[in-house]
């Protein structure tokens, strides 16, 4: 990905989102730009208009931490957006994360027995490992049942982003499809900022941009986010509607890999439906075993 273009479009998109009154500036009349003007951002950040214009053209290499912090404050960036800005600046300077080359995880890591032991100990929730490319690499038994539409009968590695944007079944599986779509793209945007030379991610973005108008539009918005924790709704074809809390756990042994766990509130209808799904999965596995 073109780092200068990424910086330019990110800064422009953030500037366009801020109304003057949000930062204590008069609205005025005859404003020809959405959001703030370059001069206003420069003033808020305490830099010259010429220097800010240079940064917004994508020439962010060499910008100090204090300047980047000032920009983040001027543009009202949240923590994820601020991190993304610093990631893009590091990439422009040729400095990897943490000041050292980022050790790439390999998919051989999912063959590590201890990782599967951890997954198998989670019996009341959906647990799976995904990488920075949205590949679903390993699941527990309940996770295989939960994502049965996505996993299918094997073959290609299941990919959460391809399922989201290219499989019509995702529209039924995700009742809040538009919300999920925005989250998926924003997470991928943040990953792209962390490693601008990730060709696998670049190829995935190119594929989805070509095949999905929605993905292309959301990618162009330059929104970023981390997954973290929260609540999501699902409509499973076997057990129906589920409202599940999720937690994202970083797997430090494998950079780029995360362990996602979905659980239901104890005693809730969703908890009962997860138990039904587990029973269905056990029955299906039992029927498939040789007699």
């Amino acid at each position: 990905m073109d780092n200068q273009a990424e910086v330019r479009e990110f800064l422009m998109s953030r500037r366009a989102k801020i109304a003057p009154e949000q930062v204590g500036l008069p609205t005025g009349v005859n404003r020809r730009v959405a959001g703030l003007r370059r001069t206003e951002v420069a003033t808020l950040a305490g830099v010259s208009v010429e220097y800010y214009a240079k940064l917004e053209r994508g020439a962010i290499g060499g910008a100090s931490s204090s300047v980047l912090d000032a920009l983040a404050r001027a543009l009202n960036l949240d923590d994820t957006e601020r991190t993304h800005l610093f990631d893009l600046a590091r990439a422009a300077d040729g400095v990897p994360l943490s000041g050292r080359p980022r050790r790439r995880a390999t998919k051989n890591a999912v063959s590590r027995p201890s990782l599967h032991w951890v997954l198998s100990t989670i019996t009341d929730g959906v647990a799976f490992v995904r990488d920075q490319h949205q590949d679903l690499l390993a699941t527990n038994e309940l996770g295989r049942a939960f994502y049965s539409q996505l996993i299918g009968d094997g073959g290609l590695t299941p990919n959460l982003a391809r399922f989201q944007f290219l499989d019509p079944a995702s529209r039924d599986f995700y009742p809040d499809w538009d919300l999920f779509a925005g989250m998926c793209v924003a997470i991928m945007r943040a990953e792209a900022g962390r490693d601008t030379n990730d060709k696998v991610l670049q190829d995935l973005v190119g594929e989805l941009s070509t095949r999905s108008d929605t993905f292309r539009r959301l990618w162009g918005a330059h929104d970023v986010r981390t997954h973290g924790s929260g609540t999501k709704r699902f409509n499973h074809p076997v057990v129906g509607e589920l409202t599940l809390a999720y937690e994202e756990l970083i797997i430090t042994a494998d950079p780029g890999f995360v362990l996602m766990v979905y659980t239901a509130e104890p005693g809730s209808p969703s908890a009962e439906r997860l138990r039904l799904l587990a029973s269905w999965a056990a029955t299906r596995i039992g029927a498939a075993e040789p007699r």
Side-chain angles (χ1 to χ4, degrees), residues 7-281:
V7 172
R8 179 176 65 251
E9 291 167 18
F10 179 66
L11 290 177
M12 290 177 65
S13 68
R14 298 311 93 179
R15 176 164 64 86
K17 281 192 166 189
I18 303 175
E21 57 268 24
Q22 288 180 263
V23 291
L25 295 174
T27 302
V29 293
N30 299 323
R31 295 185 70 88
R32 292 179 294 177
V33 296
L36 298 179
R37 301 184 178 100
R38 287 193 186 94
T39 54
E40 293 168 332
V41 176
T43 299
L44 290 168
V47 299
S48 69
V49 176
E50 293 76 12
Y51 184 54
Y52 177 72
K54 173 186 172 183
L55 295 176
E56 198 175 272
R57 288 195 297 271
I60 203 170
S64 67
S65 295
S66 60
V67 166
L68 296 175
D69 272 327
L71 273 184
R73 289 193 299 272
L75 294 170
N76 280 350
L77 302 187
D78 62 25
D79 288 344
T80 303
E81 291 170 326
R82 179 185 178 280
T83 298
H84 185 63
L85 177 63
F86 273 74
D87 286 341
L88 292 173
R90 273 190 287 262
D93 288 334
V95 180
L97 290 177
S98 302
R100 61 179 183 275
R102 179 176 179 177
R103 181 167 57 90
R104 290 187 179 275
T106 66
K107 290 180 183 174
N108 293 333
V110 298
S111 64
R112 191 169 63 247
S114 59
L115 189 55
H116 290 271
W117 297 340
V118 169
L119 287 169
S120 66
T121 63
I122 302 172
T123 56
D124 294 332
V126 173
F128 61 93
V129 175
R130 70 158 176 82
D131 65 9
Q132 65 270 41
H133 310 126
Q134 298 294 309
D135 284 341
L136 189 67
L137 302 178
T139 69
N140 65 350
E141 186 175 310
L142 188 53
R144 285 189 290 276
F146 183 75
Y147 280 119
S148 55
Q149 295 180 100
L150 170 59
I151 295 172
D153 296 323
L156 296 176
T157 301
N159 183 274
L160 292 160
R162 287 193 182 94
F163 178 68
Q164 174 80 50
F165 291 99
L166 304 182
D167 192 331
S170 71
R171 296 275 182 175
D172 293 326
F173 189 61
Y174 301 134
D176 305 310
W177 191 90
D178 290 335
L179 175 64
F180 275 44
M183 291 173 64
C184 180
V185 175
I187 290 167
M188 292 174 66
R189 259 287 178 202
E191 289 290 355
R194 279 188 278 273
D195 189 351
T196 56
N197 296 314
D198 188 334
K199 189 175 186 307
V200 175
L201 185 56
Q202 291 176 20
D203 290 345
L204 177 60
V205 169
E207 175 192 347
L208 294 177
S209 296
T210 300
R211 300 177 64 185
S212 169
D213 292 339
T214 303
F215 179 89
R216 185 167 58 251
R217 173 178 57 80
L218 291 171
W219 187 257
H222 286 264
D223 292 333
V224 293
R225 65 164 289 155
T226 53
H227 217 147
S229 63
T231 304
K232 291 182 178 179
R233 293 195 307 139
F234 302 91
N235 183 30
H236 195 276
V238 175
V239 297
E241 187 170 321
L242 296 161
T243 299
L244 303 177
Y246 64 87
E247 295 284 343
E248 180 186 71
L249 309 172
I250 303 299
I251 301 176
T252 55
D254 302 301
F257 283 20
V258 298
L259 170 63
M260 291 292 302
V261 182
Y262 289 98
T263 55
E265 181 182 353
S268 67
S270 292
E272 178 59 30
R273 288 170 188 153
L274 272 186
R275 283 193 289 272
L276 288 174
L277 183 59
S279 298
W280 173 79

